[in-house]
Amino acid sequence: MSEVVRNMTVDNALIGDNKLTSIAIASIHYMESDKTIKRIVIHTPYGIFYTIGSLTYWASSLTSAGYDFIKADRNVLINVANIYRMDKGYNKAYFDADNNEGCFLSEKGYAKVKAKIKKESYEVKFIESPIW
């Protein structure tokens, strides 16, 4: 029987001081590829962290470990389990009630995430902001 992976080791500083820390995978809201710094930026409720690799690698690794991560844009990997609200008008997912933390999704990514939410019966609010 395989052991469930619950944490991952990440860097909590952008460059240089090698301060590694462990974060809970379940706490990740989304990951984005930032080619200017050649890192994966990890967004959590506790701050921003960094790792290396590609989003394709992380999507494969995290989903095979049993987590619901979907590549929702070319540069965004989103944790479906942590979505609080989805806004179709802006193609944006939010992770808290105050709309402080959010990320944009492609049209196709929005549809994939919405289908996963419906299939897995996550409790997510759907809204449509007015398009001016």
Side-chain angles (χ1 to χ4, degrees), residues 15-16 18 23 32 36 39 42 54 56 69-70 72 76-77 89 107 111 130:
I15 297 176
N18 296 323
I23 62 170
E32 62 181 328
T36 60
R39 299 280 186 280
I42 303 168
S54 69
T56 302
F69 281 82
I70 291 180
V76 174
L77 183 64
E107 289 276 337

Side-chain angles (χ1 to χ4, degrees), residues 45-97:
Y46 315 110
I48 295 175
F49 301 93
Y50 304 91
T51 192
I52 58 173
S54 69
L55 286 182
T56 302
Y57 165 79
W58 285 110
S60 174
S61 296
L62 294 170
T63 55
S64 68
Y67 295 94
D68 282 335
F69 281 82
I70 291 180
K71 197 164 180 189
D73 192 20
R74 175 179 20 183
N75 296 322
V76 174
L77 183 64
I78 192 168
N79 186 353
V80 178
N82 288 343
I83 298 172
Y84 178 79
R85 178 179 304 164
M86 300 256 310
D87 186 336
K88 177 59 179 152
Y90 294 110
N91 280 347
K92 195 167 183 180
Y94 296 98
F95 302 95
D96 63 22

Side-chain angles (χ1 to χ4, degrees), residues 1-6 64:
M1 177 159 40
S2 66
E3 186 177 319
V4 176
V5 178
R6 290 187 170 84
S64 68

Side-chain angles (χ1 to χ4, degrees), residues 9-27:
T9 302
V10 296
D11 192 346
N12 65 356
L14 184 56
I15 297 176
D17 56 4
N18 296 323
K19 291 185 179 181
L20 297 178
T21 189
S22 180
I23 62 170
I25 294 170
S27 73

